[in-house]
mmCIF file of all heavy atoms in Angstrom:
data_model
loop_
_atom_site.group_PDB
_atom_site.id
_atom_site.type_symbol
_atom_site.label_atom_id
_atom_site.label_comp_id
_atom_site.label_asym_id
_atom_site.label_seq_id
_atom_site.Cartn_x
_atom_site.Cartn_y
_atom_site.Cartn_z
ATOM 1 N N SER H 248 0.712 -6.218 7.486
ATOM 2 C CA SER H 248 1.679 -6.182 8.543
ATOM 3 C C SER H 248 3.017 -6.429 8.046
ATOM 4 O O SER H 248 3.705 -7.426 8.441
ATOM 5 C CB SER H 248 1.281 -7.199 9.635
ATOM 6 O OG SER H 248 -0.013 -7.045 10.121
ATOM 7 N N PRO H 249 3.586 -5.569 7.220
ATOM 8 C CA PRO H 249 5.023 -5.673 6.863
ATOM 9 C C PRO H 249 5.949 -5.394 7.993
ATOM 10 O O PRO H 249 5.696 -4.454 8.746
ATOM 11 C CB PRO H 249 5.148 -4.670 5.731
ATOM 12 C CG PRO H 249 4.156 -3.633 6.019
ATOM 13 C CD PRO H 249 2.996 -4.334 6.688
ATOM 14 N N ALA H 250 6.945 -6.181 8.111
ATOM 15 C CA ALA H 250 7.956 -5.995 9.162
ATOM 16 C C ALA H 250 7.345 -5.968 10.533
ATOM 17 O O ALA H 250 7.791 -5.203 11.446
ATOM 18 C CB ALA H 250 8.741 -4.735 8.921
ATOM 19 N N GLY H 251 6.238 -6.671 10.725
ATOM 20 C CA GLY H 251 5.574 -6.749 12.048
ATOM 21 C C GLY H 251 4.674 -5.573 12.354
ATOM 22 O O GLY H 251 4.187 -5.537 13.434
ATOM 23 N N GLU H 252 4.503 -4.627 11.441
ATOM 24 C CA GLU H 252 3.674 -3.455 11.772
ATOM 25 C C GLU H 252 2.252 -3.689 11.206
ATOM 26 O O GLU H 252 2.036 -4.113 10.110
ATOM 27 C CB GLU H 252 4.248 -2.200 11.068
ATOM 28 C CG GLU H 252 5.608 -1.834 11.545
ATOM 29 C CD GLU H 252 6.112 -0.517 10.932
ATOM 30 O OE1 GLU H 252 5.241 0.285 10.457
ATOM 31 O OE2 GLU H 252 7.312 -0.330 10.797
ATOM 32 N N SER H 253 1.274 -3.482 12.093
ATOM 33 C CA SER H 253 -0.136 -3.627 11.702
ATOM 34 C C SER H 253 -0.602 -2.339 11.041
ATOM 35 O O SER H 253 -0.536 -1.236 11.647
ATOM 36 C CB SER H 253 -1.007 -3.895 12.997
ATOM 37 O OG SER H 253 -2.348 -4.020 12.580
ATOM 38 N N LEU H 254 -1.092 -2.435 9.799
ATOM 39 C CA LEU H 254 -1.515 -1.301 9.035
ATOM 40 C C LEU H 254 -2.981 -1.400 8.624
ATOM 41 O O LEU H 254 -3.492 -2.525 8.519
ATOM 42 C CB LEU H 254 -0.632 -1.179 7.775
ATOM 43 C CG LEU H 254 0.874 -0.988 7.932
ATOM 44 C CD1 LEU H 254 1.600 -0.957 6.615
ATOM 45 C CD2 LEU H 254 1.180 0.332 8.739
ATOM 46 N N LEU H 255 -3.585 -0.279 8.388
ATOM 47 C CA LEU H 255 -4.968 -0.212 7.762
ATOM 48 C C LEU H 255 -4.726 -0.442 6.279
ATOM 49 O O LEU H 255 -4.167 0.371 5.593
ATOM 50 C CB LEU H 255 -5.584 1.122 8.060
ATOM 51 C CG LEU H 255 -5.905 1.384 9.545
ATOM 52 C CD1 LEU H 255 -6.359 2.853 9.735
ATOM 53 C CD2 LEU H 255 -6.997 0.494 10.044
ATOM 54 N N GLN H 256 -5.187 -1.606 5.837
ATOM 55 C CA GLN H 256 -4.819 -2.087 4.486
ATOM 56 C C GLN H 256 -5.367 -1.260 3.304
ATOM 57 O O GLN H 256 -6.476 -0.791 3.343
ATOM 58 C CB GLN H 256 -5.202 -3.528 4.405
ATOM 59 C CG GLN H 256 -4.471 -4.345 3.273
ATOM 60 C CD GLN H 256 -4.547 -5.787 3.510
ATOM 61 O OE1 GLN H 256 -5.372 -6.329 4.261
ATOM 62 N NE2 GLN H 256 -3.691 -6.535 2.841
ATOM 63 N N LEU H 257 -4.526 -1.177 2.270
ATOM 64 C CA LEU H 257 -4.922 -0.559 1.042
ATOM 65 C C LEU H 257 -4.913 -1.571 -0.110
ATOM 66 O O LEU H 257 -4.377 -2.658 0.065
ATOM 67 C CB LEU H 257 -3.909 0.591 0.630
ATOM 68 C CG LEU H 257 -3.713 1.728 1.690
ATOM 69 C CD1 LEU H 257 -2.592 2.608 1.204
ATOM 70 C CD2 LEU H 257 -5.037 2.566 1.747
ATOM 71 N N ALA H 258 -5.612 -1.189 -1.194
ATOM 72 C CA ALA H 258 -5.600 -2.105 -2.380
ATOM 73 C C ALA H 258 -5.924 -1.320 -3.603
ATOM 74 O O ALA H 258 -6.602 -0.261 -3.531
ATOM 75 C CB ALA H 258 -6.575 -3.244 -2.186
ATOM 76 N N VAL H 259 -5.400 -1.744 -4.759
ATOM 77 C CA VAL H 259 -5.730 -1.158 -6.057
ATOM 78 C C VAL H 259 -6.083 -2.347 -6.983
ATOM 79 O O VAL H 259 -5.333 -3.293 -7.088
ATOM 80 C CB VAL H 259 -4.541 -0.383 -6.647
ATOM 81 C CG1 VAL H 259 -4.880 0.052 -8.082
ATOM 82 C CG2 VAL H 259 -4.305 0.862 -5.802
ATOM 83 N N PHE H 260 -7.255 -2.195 -7.682
ATOM 84 C CA PHE H 260 -7.648 -3.140 -8.688
ATOM 85 C C PHE H 260 -7.833 -2.393 -10.022
ATOM 86 O O PHE H 260 -8.378 -1.285 -10.051
ATOM 87 C CB PHE H 260 -8.949 -3.870 -8.315
ATOM 88 C CG PHE H 260 -8.813 -4.945 -7.272
ATOM 89 C CD1 PHE H 260 -8.572 -4.613 -5.937
ATOM 90 C CD2 PHE H 260 -8.808 -6.256 -7.602
ATOM 91 C CE1 PHE H 260 -8.457 -5.570 -5.006
ATOM 92 C CE2 PHE H 260 -8.649 -7.235 -6.653
ATOM 93 C CZ PHE H 260 -8.467 -6.953 -5.307
ATOM 94 N N SER H 261 -7.311 -2.973 -11.105
ATOM 95 C CA SER H 261 -7.242 -2.284 -12.290
ATOM 96 C C SER H 261 -7.548 -3.109 -13.556
ATOM 97 O O SER H 261 -7.288 -4.309 -13.547
ATOM 98 C CB SER H 261 -5.841 -1.660 -12.496
ATOM 99 O OG SER H 261 -5.617 -1.120 -13.768
ATOM 100 N N ARG H 262 -8.132 -2.522 -14.598
ATOM 101 C CA ARG H 262 -8.322 -3.182 -15.885
ATOM 102 C C ARG H 262 -7.020 -3.151 -16.667
ATOM 103 O O ARG H 262 -6.969 -3.908 -17.652
ATOM 104 C CB ARG H 262 -9.434 -2.501 -16.647
ATOM 105 C CG ARG H 262 -10.820 -2.562 -16.010
ATOM 106 C CD ARG H 262 -11.854 -1.959 -16.973
ATOM 107 N NE ARG H 262 -13.106 -1.747 -16.312
ATOM 108 C CZ ARG H 262 -14.117 -2.642 -16.191
ATOM 109 N NH1 ARG H 262 -13.892 -3.811 -16.774
ATOM 110 N NH2 ARG H 262 -15.246 -2.374 -15.627
ATOM 111 N N TYR H 263 -6.087 -2.362 -16.260
ATOM 112 C CA TYR H 263 -4.798 -2.177 -16.983
ATOM 113 C C TYR H 263 -3.684 -2.733 -16.192
ATOM 114 O O TYR H 263 -3.735 -2.753 -14.920
ATOM 115 C CB TYR H 263 -4.596 -0.738 -17.276
ATOM 116 C CG TYR H 263 -5.673 -0.141 -18.174
ATOM 117 C CD1 TYR H 263 -6.727 0.612 -17.632
ATOM 118 C CD2 TYR H 263 -5.595 -0.251 -19.582
ATOM 119 C CE1 TYR H 263 -7.695 1.163 -18.420
ATOM 120 C CE2 TYR H 263 -6.576 0.265 -20.364
ATOM 121 C CZ TYR H 263 -7.629 1.035 -19.813
ATOM 122 O OH TYR H 263 -8.645 1.525 -20.595
ATOM 123 N N PRO H 264 -2.626 -3.187 -16.855
ATOM 124 C CA PRO H 264 -1.494 -3.804 -16.173
ATOM 125 C C PRO H 264 -0.805 -2.951 -15.118
ATOM 126 O O PRO H 264 -0.527 -1.702 -15.435
ATOM 127 C CB PRO H 264 -0.531 -4.223 -17.304
ATOM 128 C CG PRO H 264 -1.402 -4.299 -18.525
ATOM 129 C CD PRO H 264 -2.430 -3.294 -18.328
ATOM 130 N N ILE H 265 -0.519 -3.472 -13.998
ATOM 131 C CA ILE H 265 0.261 -2.731 -12.959
ATOM 132 C C ILE H 265 1.689 -3.253 -13.096
ATOM 133 O O ILE H 265 2.020 -4.383 -12.908
ATOM 134 C CB ILE H 265 -0.356 -3.063 -11.570
ATOM 135 C CG1 ILE H 265 -1.785 -2.521 -11.458
ATOM 136 C CG2 ILE H 265 0.542 -2.386 -10.485
ATOM 137 C CD1 ILE H 265 -2.446 -2.857 -10.111
ATOM 138 N N LYS H 266 2.579 -2.254 -13.367
ATOM 139 C CA LYS H 266 3.935 -2.613 -13.694
ATOM 140 C C LYS H 266 4.909 -2.607 -12.468
ATOM 141 O O LYS H 266 5.664 -3.499 -12.205
ATOM 142 C CB LYS H 266 4.506 -1.639 -14.739
ATOM 143 C CG LYS H 266 3.789 -1.741 -16.047
ATOM 144 C CD LYS H 266 3.931 -3.148 -16.678
ATOM 145 C CE LYS H 266 3.294 -3.268 -18.041
ATOM 146 N NZ LYS H 266 3.368 -4.556 -18.660
ATOM 147 N N GLU H 267 4.837 -1.524 -11.691
ATOM 148 C CA GLU H 267 5.658 -1.391 -10.514
ATOM 149 C C GLU H 267 4.765 -1.040 -9.315
ATOM 150 O O GLU H 267 3.754 -0.398 -9.448
ATOM 151 C CB GLU H 267 6.683 -0.293 -10.696
ATOM 152 C CG GLU H 267 7.671 -0.559 -11.825
ATOM 153 C CD GLU H 267 8.659 -1.658 -11.518
ATOM 154 O OE1 GLU H 267 8.849 -1.951 -10.324
ATOM 155 O OE2 GLU H 267 9.272 -2.182 -12.474
ATOM 156 N N GLU H 268 5.181 -1.390 -8.125
ATOM 157 C CA GLU H 268 4.408 -1.140 -6.967
ATOM 158 C C GLU H 268 5.233 -0.923 -5.703
ATOM 159 O O GLU H 268 6.372 -1.492 -5.638
ATOM 160 C CB GLU H 268 3.436 -2.296 -6.714
ATOM 161 C CG GLU H 268 4.109 -3.668 -6.720
ATOM 162 C CD GLU H 268 3.179 -4.797 -6.969
ATOM 163 O OE1 GLU H 268 2.282 -4.683 -7.792
ATOM 164 O OE2 GLU H 268 3.360 -5.889 -6.300
ATOM 165 N N HIS H 269 4.750 -0.091 -4.845
ATOM 166 C CA HIS H 269 5.565 0.215 -3.611
ATOM 167 C C HIS H 269 4.655 0.679 -2.451
ATOM 168 O O HIS H 269 3.768 1.475 -2.694
ATOM 169 C CB HIS H 269 6.553 1.424 -3.938
ATOM 170 C CG HIS H 269 7.374 1.848 -2.848
ATOM 171 N ND1 HIS H 269 8.244 1.052 -2.172
ATOM 172 C CD2 HIS H 269 7.399 3.058 -2.209
ATOM 173 C CE1 HIS H 269 8.778 1.740 -1.136
ATOM 174 N NE2 HIS H 269 8.308 2.958 -1.202
ATOM 175 N N LEU H 270 4.878 0.117 -1.325
ATOM 176 C CA LEU H 270 4.129 0.502 -0.143
ATOM 177 C C LEU H 270 4.905 1.571 0.624
ATOM 178 O O LEU H 270 6.110 1.477 0.790
ATOM 179 C CB LEU H 270 3.950 -0.708 0.790
ATOM 180 C CG LEU H 270 3.192 -0.443 2.134
ATOM 181 C CD1 LEU H 270 1.730 -0.016 1.886
ATOM 182 C CD2 LEU H 270 3.267 -1.720 2.978
ATOM 183 N N ILE H 271 4.172 2.632 1.029
ATOM 184 C CA ILE H 271 4.770 3.793 1.771
ATOM 185 C C ILE H 271 4.292 3.752 3.219
ATOM 186 O O ILE H 271 3.104 3.884 3.420
ATOM 187 C CB ILE H 271 4.360 5.134 1.073
ATOM 188 C CG1 ILE H 271 4.824 5.104 -0.388
ATOM 189 C CG2 ILE H 271 4.973 6.266 1.855
ATOM 190 C CD1 ILE H 271 4.064 6.106 -1.234
ATOM 191 N N ILE H 272 5.176 3.467 4.155
ATOM 192 C CA ILE H 272 4.848 3.393 5.555
ATOM 193 C C ILE H 272 5.262 4.704 6.269
ATOM 194 O O ILE H 272 6.292 5.201 6.014
ATOM 195 C CB ILE H 272 5.502 2.164 6.213
ATOM 196 C CG1 ILE H 272 5.112 0.910 5.480
ATOM 197 C CG2 ILE H 272 5.222 2.069 7.685
ATOM 198 C CD1 ILE H 272 5.804 -0.362 5.966
ATOM 199 N N TYR H 273 4.406 5.165 7.112
ATOM 200 C CA TYR H 273 4.665 6.369 7.856
ATOM 201 C C TYR H 273 5.033 6.064 9.303
ATOM 202 O O TYR H 273 4.446 5.142 9.884
ATOM 203 C CB TYR H 273 3.491 7.332 7.849
ATOM 204 C CG TYR H 273 3.042 7.719 6.458
ATOM 205 C CD1 TYR H 273 1.833 7.279 5.959
ATOM 206 C CD2 TYR H 273 3.886 8.533 5.656
ATOM 207 C CE1 TYR H 273 1.444 7.668 4.668
ATOM 208 C CE2 TYR H 273 3.474 8.866 4.399
ATOM 209 C CZ TYR H 273 2.234 8.466 3.865
ATOM 210 O OH TYR H 273 1.864 8.811 2.624
ATOM 211 N N PRO H 274 5.996 6.790 9.918
ATOM 212 C CA PRO H 274 6.397 6.522 11.301
ATOM 213 C C PRO H 274 5.276 6.739 12.272
ATOM 214 O O PRO H 274 4.487 7.734 12.092
ATOM 215 C CB PRO H 274 7.545 7.404 11.546
ATOM 216 C CG PRO H 274 7.372 8.516 10.492
ATOM 217 C CD PRO H 274 6.746 7.861 9.290
ATOM 218 N N ASP H 275 5.199 5.919 13.243
ATOM 219 C CA ASP H 275 4.235 6.083 14.385
ATOM 220 C C ASP H 275 2.787 6.254 13.826
ATOM 221 O O ASP H 275 2.014 7.109 14.315
ATOM 222 C CB ASP H 275 4.637 7.342 15.185
ATOM 223 C CG ASP H 275 3.849 7.426 16.476
ATOM 224 O OD1 ASP H 275 3.476 6.405 17.017
ATOM 225 O OD2 ASP H 275 3.648 8.562 16.974
ATOM 226 N N SER H 276 2.430 5.381 12.947
ATOM 227 C CA SER H 276 1.057 5.426 12.343
ATOM 228 C C SER H 276 0.642 4.049 11.790
ATOM 229 O O SER H 276 1.479 3.393 11.225
ATOM 230 C CB SER H 276 1.005 6.535 11.266
ATOM 231 O OG SER H 276 -0.304 6.556 10.673
ATOM 232 N N LYS H 277 -0.595 3.758 11.892
ATOM 233 C CA LYS H 277 -1.137 2.581 11.233
ATOM 234 C C LYS H 277 -1.614 2.934 9.809
ATOM 235 O O LYS H 277 -1.976 1.980 9.052
ATOM 236 C CB LYS H 277 -2.309 2.045 12.003
ATOM 237 C CG LYS H 277 -1.971 1.391 13.376
ATOM 238 C CD LYS H 277 -3.143 0.815 14.056
ATOM 239 C CE LYS H 277 -2.742 0.188 15.371
ATOM 240 N NZ LYS H 277 -3.948 -0.458 16.102
ATOM 241 N N ASN H 278 -1.666 4.166 9.453
ATOM 242 C CA ASN H 278 -2.040 4.569 8.155
ATOM 243 C C ASN H 278 -0.873 4.508 7.131
ATOM 244 O O ASN H 278 0.244 4.531 7.556
ATOM 245 C CB ASN H 278 -2.608 5.964 8.170
ATOM 246 C CG ASN H 278 -3.870 6.077 9.008
ATOM 247 O OD1 ASN H 278 -3.812 6.039 10.264
ATOM 248 N ND2 ASN H 278 -4.959 6.074 8.363
ATOM 249 N N CYS H 279 -1.144 4.390 5.859
ATOM 250 C CA CYS H 279 -0.067 4.233 4.906
ATOM 251 C C CYS H 279 -0.554 4.684 3.480
ATOM 252 O O CYS H 279 -1.738 5.121 3.362
ATOM 253 C CB CYS H 279 0.366 2.743 4.773
ATOM 254 S SG CYS H 279 -0.991 1.593 4.434
ATOM 255 N N SER H 280 0.364 4.654 2.556
ATOM 256 C CA SER H 280 0.031 4.945 1.181
ATOM 257 C C SER H 280 0.681 3.912 0.296
ATOM 258 O O SER H 280 1.546 3.133 0.779
ATOM 259 C CB SER H 280 0.606 6.319 0.794
ATOM 260 O OG SER H 280 0.009 7.373 1.564
ATOM 261 N N LEU H 281 0.297 3.823 -0.922
ATOM 262 C CA LEU H 281 0.930 2.969 -1.882
ATOM 263 C C LEU H 281 1.068 3.730 -3.230
ATOM 264 O O LEU H 281 0.327 4.603 -3.543
ATOM 265 C CB LEU H 281 0.224 1.648 -2.083
ATOM 266 C CG LEU H 281 -1.218 1.650 -2.721
ATOM 267 C CD1 LEU H 281 -1.176 1.744 -4.225
ATOM 268 C CD2 LEU H 281 -1.952 0.382 -2.292
#
């Protein structure tokens, strides 16, 4: 729920280091990408 928006949550788990990360929110939707 970033900025008060309820989203269908995503996650990534990795054996390798994650360096940069960014959440992509779509207007008028509970769905998202990262």
Side-chain angles (χ1 to χ4, degrees):
S248 302
E252 298 183 26
S253 178
L254 300 175
L255 295 171
Q256 199 160 15
L257 300 171
V259 172
F260 283 75
S261 171
R262 297 184 191 273
Y263 297 98
I265 297 175
K266 297 299 184 182
E267 298 289 339
E268 53 201 36
H269 176 61
L270 178 64
I271 304 161
I272 300 175
Y273 301 114
D275 192 26
S276 177
K277 292 183 178 181
N278 297 77
C279 57
S280 299
L281 65 81

